[in-house]
Amino acid sequence: MKPSTRLTQHLAGLENFGHSIRRPVYLFRPTRVEQVAELLELANKEEVLVGLRGAGRSYGDAALTGGGIVLDFGRMNRILDWNPETGVITVEPGVTIEQLWRHILEDGWWSPVMPGTMFPTIGGCLGANVHGKNNWKAGTMGEHVLSFNALLPNGEEVTCTPTENEELFHSIISGMGLLGVFTSITMQMKKVYSGNLDVNAWAEPNMKRMLAATDANKEEDYIVGWVDSTTRLGLGRGQMHSARYLAEGEDANPAQTLNPNSQDLPDTIMGLVPKSMVWRFLQLGLNNPGAWAGNLAKYFLNRTVGNNKQYIQSLVAFTFLLDYVPNWERAYGKGGLIQYQSFMPFDSAEETFTRILRHSQQRGLPSYLGVMKRHRPDHFLFSHAVDGFSLALDFKVPPRKQARLVKMLGELNQIVLEGNGRFYFAKDSALTPDVVRAFLGEETVKKFQALKARVDPQQLLQTDLYRRCFIGPNGL
Ligand SMILES: Cc1cc2nc3c(=O)[nH]c(=O)nc-3n(C[C@H](O)[C@H](O)[C@H](O)COP(=O)(O)OP(=O)(O)OC[C@H]3O[C@@H](n4cnc5c(N)ncnc54)[C@H](O)[C@@H]3O)c2cc1C
């Protein structure tokens, strides 16, 4: 069927966050729920697929639907209700994490779960069911949702809470925009008594010690480890950061630190280089020798002047460290980057992460940045978390080595499955239907298929990730 001008007027090229994929789509930016319903009907009539998109901050193809309609929720971004007494907030799905903290912090509240960047939307974060550097303690963002309204592709509007429409509640959250559209979301925020955190930083010499440190500091509120994924000596070494909220009365001037303006990240790095230029300098070091030297220098600085340091840092600076360098992902060059995050149970984490790092080094395609976190399992449909650890690795995609990288990521998938690990769709570019079936399990896949047939009988909601992971050449 030939697309009508209603569609072709909206033709646009859209990329993923990692800039490794570009697709032609019909891009619509609705402002009201009725428009979303109309667009779903239009898609049905014109026989095109629909993908949902928040801020497009998923690394891979989770928010792309090549050749289809993409509904971008960036303009459905109103804060509908905020109660500073109870910390309960109701938002439209396109409200960003940045809008959220700027709105609530002054009243002494913070989101209990935050991803590592403030640019995503709440709808997108719940689509993936994001975790923070406190996943083992606070769970995923979905665990703090009190209720949401959603529009189903079959035209039904539903209200879901942990007890009402319970199955849809636990499936649309984490469902990667494949089962329904969040139209409003109500969440419980966390009380804070300061805009600052008490942070500790120290270096660890190898993977075993990094994992042990990540586990041993569970009484802290946040833990995260930077891993040098380029070194062969002291494989898996890195630097740990743990942080603790300040208790009531600990901050001498909470009115000041809770003021959103005091949280703003500085405009220059080290008072000299404008932030907007930094990614261009980074570009020079993002090759194998440059990344090796950069990681080595960072480790030795952490080991010496930066070791065993305790300091006060703002919530924003600690939580959204990557946002210090705008467009940092562009430093990866033309081919972009892929992130590969695997989640390993406690007992197999050391062996699996060690194998992953060795394998990528042996293949000549080391990751240039590694991040380790501690997790706990959850009850959502496409859960990525385990009682254990994750290691997120950023890989450059050099255009000439793309096929080699894809092959290597396929090999890493097998290593992760051998250790009973899991994967995270928000970060994924390398899963195939057989791997998805293996990590999600037969029961979950069947449950998803049954739900999809019920709420989306026309199979309208499809993303490139869905087609790659659930249909693929052989299908599920
Ligand atoms: C620098 C960086 C750091 C990150 N750190 C973390 C981290 O610490 N922890 C973590 O868990 N993730 C992290 N992420 C991943 C990111 O938080 C998730 O990919 C998140 O889903 C992005 O939100 P978004 O608004 O950009 O959504 P998109 O990427 O646009 O969409 C994500 C998914 O949600 C679906 N969706 C979007 N809107 C709706 C809607 N209204 N209704 C239903 N479904 C919808 C989409 O179809 C898609 O499947 C990070 C990403 C970056 C770039």
Side-chain angles (χ1 to χ4, degrees):
M1 189 176 182
K2 203 166 169 268
S4 69
T5 49
R6 177 86 211 281
L7 289 185
T8 52
Q9 281 167 348
H10 286 262
L11 194 60
L14 210 55
E15 287 189 348
N16 60 329
F17 172 75
H19 304 296
S20 57
I21 313 166
R22 188 175 176 81
R23 297 271 188 263
V25 303
Y26 304 116
L27 184 63
F28 288 85
R29 293 169 33 86
T31 53
R32 297 187 319 275
V33 182
E34 304 83 73
Q35 266 180 308
V36 178
E38 256 171 53
L39 287 163
L40 290 176
E41 270 176 36
L42 176 74
N44 225 337
K45 208 169 93 202
E46 303 243 3
E47 295 175 8
V48 290
L49 304 174
V50 180
L52 311 181
R53 185 174 175 98
R57 295 273 154 172
S58 292
Y59 278 76
D61 48 5
L64 290 173
T65 300
I69 289 178
V70 168
L71 300 183
D72 173 329
F73 289 96
R75 289 200 299 163
M76 280 177 67
N77 62 351
R78 286 174 304 163
I79 292 173
L80 302 172
D81 191 41
W82 165 237
N83 184 334
E85 302 302 317
T86 60
V88 173
I89 191 159
T90 301
V91 297
E92 286 189 323
V95 164
T96 62
I97 296 287
E98 179 173 15
Q99 271 179 278
L100 180 72
W101 72 257
R102 284 195 187 277
H103 197 82
I104 63 174
L105 188 63
E106 218 160 322
D107 296 324
W109 298 88
W110 182 249
S111 174
V113 173
M114 293 284 206
T117 168
M118 64 172 101
F119 304 119
T121 64
I122 306 294
C125 284
L126 289 171
N129 199 16
V130 300
H131 60 261
K133 300 174 184 75
N134 54 357
N135 186 231
W136 85 95
K137 198 165 192 169
T140 58
M141 189 178 272
E143 291 175 54
H144 304 275
V145 172
L146 302 175
S147 72
F148 65 78
N149 292 329
L151 180 63
L152 306 182
N154 65 10
E156 222 182 302
E157 288 189 51
V158 287
T159 299
C160 301
T161 75
T163 51
E164 182 187 349
N165 288 319
E166 183 272 334
E167 191 179 34
L168 282 178
F169 180 87
H170 287 98
S171 305
I172 299 181
I173 295 178
S174 86
M176 299 308 291
L178 299 172
L179 295 169
V181 184
F182 296 113
T183 53
S184 73
I185 299 144
T186 301
M187 299 191 295
Q188 176 65 58
M189 297 292 104
K190 179 185 168 48
K191 187 79 196 146
V192 288
Y193 300 98
S194 168
N196 286 333
L197 291 167
D198 182 6
V199 180
N200 279 290
W202 69 100
E204 293 289 358
N206 54 45
M207 178 69 74
K208 194 186 211 41
R209 292 272 298 270
M210 286 290 289
L211 289 164
T214 305
D215 190 49
N217 287 279
K218 290 208 301 284
E219 76 287 355
E220 296 285 293
D221 291 309
Y222 295 97
I223 303 170
V224 64
W226 158 76
V227 177
D228 175 354
S229 39
T230 57
T231 184
R232 287 170 194 239
L233 279 176
L235 192 84
R237 70 188 178 190
Q239 191 189 33
M240 299 299 310
H241 282 101
S242 69
R244 181 181 64 78
Y245 295 114
L246 299 190
E248 193 169 8
E250 253 186 292
D251 182 347
N253 197 350
Q256 190 198 330
T257 62
L258 291 169
N259 182 329
N261 296 334
S262 76
Q263 296 275 329
D264 279 331
L265 299 173
D267 288 333
T268 53
I269 304 271
M270 290 186 289
L272 289 172
V273 189
K275 271 197 315 190
S276 56
M277 288 178 61
V278 174
W279 72 268
R280 294 181 191 278
F281 293 106
L282 273 183
Q283 215 171 359
L284 305 173
L286 284 182
N287 46 57
N288 284 3
W292 176 82
N295 274 286
L296 181 76
K298 176 166 165 47
Y299 180 71
F300 278 103
L301 278 177
N302 296 155
R303 186 92 220 160
T304 49
V305 285
N307 209 3
N308 296 320
K309 289 270 184 250
Q310 183 178 9
Y311 51 92
I312 293 292
Q313 190 173 27
S314 75
L315 280 163
V316 164
F318 180 83
T319 311
F320 309 121
L321 188 72
L322 284 166
D323 294 345
Y324 261 103
V325 181
N327 300 318
W328 60 265
E329 78 285 359
R330 294 217 173 264
Y332 279 83
K334 255 198 186 144
L337 87 147
I338 279 177
Q339 187 169 103
Y340 186 87
Q341 187 171 14
S342 51
F343 295 73
M344 302 310 302
F346 203 85
D347 290 342
S348 57
E350 186 186 344
E351 187 190 338
T352 306
F353 293 154
T354 303
R355 283 179 71 191
I356 287 177
L357 292 186
R358 281 221 179 96
H359 196 78
S360 52
Q361 291 172 1
Q362 281 161 0
R363 288 278 181 273
L365 295 165
S367 154
Y368 295 163
L369 174 70
V371 174
M372 182 182 286
K373 291 183 203 148
R374 182 77 171 89
H375 299 272
R376 76 175 188 208
D378 59 68
H379 297 298
F380 292 89
L381 182 74
F382 289 157
S383 173
H384 51 275
V386 293
D387 181 10
F389 307 88
S390 74
L391 181 62
L393 299 172
D394 286 2
F395 289 102
K396 184 173 180 167
V397 189
R400 279 181 302 111
K401 295 184 188 162
Q402 192 177 15
R404 260 176 63 197
L405 180 65
V406 170
K407 182 167 179 290
M408 183 189 83
L409 296 178
E411 291 157 0
L412 298 188
N413 286 345
Q414 294 310 317
I415 294 175
V416 171
L417 287 181
E418 280 164 27
N420 286 322
R422 298 180 78 85
F423 302 92
Y424 184 20
F425 289 126
K427 306 287 186 80
D428 170 58
S429 296
L431 295 177
T432 48
D434 53 327
V435 181
V436 169
R437 191 183 276 277
F439 98 81
L440 283 180
E442 205 66 39
E443 203 184 315
T444 301
V445 171
K446 285 216 170 95
K447 189 173 162 188
F448 168 62
Q449 285 168 332
L451 261 179
K452 181 122 181 109
R454 190 176 109 212
V455 302
D456 188 8
Q458 314 289 340
Q459 297 278 311
L460 210 54
L461 292 184
Q462 298 199 25
T463 54
D464 289 353
L465 178 136
Y466 173 73
R467 291 184 278 189
R468 171 170 59 81
C469 291
F470 289 91
I471 300 178
N474 303 316
L476 265 185

